[in-house]
Amino acid sequence: MAEVERRRAEVPAPAQTGVDLENLPTLFGKLGDDVMRLVDTKLSLVKVELKEDAAFYARNGAFTAVGAMVALIGFALVNVAVAFFISNFFASDAGAPERFGPTSYGLGFLITGIIYVVIGGVIVLVMKNKLAAYNPVPTTTLEEIRKDKQWLKNEM
């Protein structure tokens, strides 16, 4: 009988393994919750950065469109000026002297058109350079993911 009691003392108690087995699913559940929370946080950060990028592109795209419209109006005015200059070749001088003829109208349209083309072109070029220089990569999110990756490597 003493030998049976001695063997019982050598065998670990089944209650301890049961406690470990009960804690294991709980630990996996907590780990899953923590991972989901981490992924959710990173996705929220990506959403914020993508919204900022979309707002930047929308704002600068609108400015580019305005600049293009101004340049288009200027181009139309230059074409009207050219039409007035061409009409000057076909005008007859037989009538009474006019204070303003097709030449003066053409000059006015030409000057106004050139101003519009220059202003529109400058706006388009400035916005194009701004858009080209912008980096749409979500750098903050990528940096956070790199930090998390490094932390996980150090912990594992």
Side-chain angles (χ1 to χ4, degrees):
M1 187 105 152
E3 188 174 334
V4 171
E5 298 225 2
R6 191 181 56 177
R7 285 185 187 168
R8 274 191 183 173
E10 292 174 1
V11 175
Q16 285 182 351
T17 58
V19 170
D20 289 342
L21 291 177
E22 288 176 11
N23 285 336
L24 191 59
T26 305
L27 290 175
F28 276 125
K30 286 181 182 179
L31 177 65
D33 291 343
D34 290 344
V35 168
M36 289 305 297
R37 199 170 331 128
L38 177 67
V39 169
D40 199 29
T41 303
K42 298 309 174 196
L43 286 176
S44 298
L45 185 58
V46 168
K47 285 179 189 177
V48 167
E49 287 193 78
L50 288 178
K51 284 181 184 178
E52 289 174 358
D53 290 344
F56 176 81
Y57 282 117
R59 182 176 48 253
N60 288 320
F63 279 129
T64 303
V66 167
M69 289 304 297
V70 169
L72 186 63
I73 290 169
F75 182 71
L77 290 173
V78 168
N79 284 330
V80 170
V82 169
F84 271 114
F85 285 132
I86 291 173
S87 72
N88 203 18
F89 290 120
F90 299 110
S92 65
D93 293 331
E98 298 176 15
R99 181 171 177 176
F100 298 108
T103 305
S104 60
Y105 290 129
L107 218 56
F109 278 112
L110 183 66
I111 291 169
T112 307
I114 289 173
I115 290 171
Y116 273 88
V117 167
V118 168
I119 290 172
V122 167
I123 291 172
V124 168
L125 285 177
V126 167
M127 290 302 126
K128 179 192 143 307
N129 290 338
K130 250 188 180 180
L131 287 171
Y134 186 73
N135 184 10
V137 176
T139 54
T140 306
T141 302
L142 290 177
E143 186 60 34
E144 287 295 319
I145 290 173
R146 283 188 191 110
K147 286 179 185 177
D148 292 342
K149 180 181 171 184
Q150 187 62 38
W151 179 80
L152 284 172
K153 279 185 180 179
N154 291 340
E155 292 298 317
M156 298 282 175

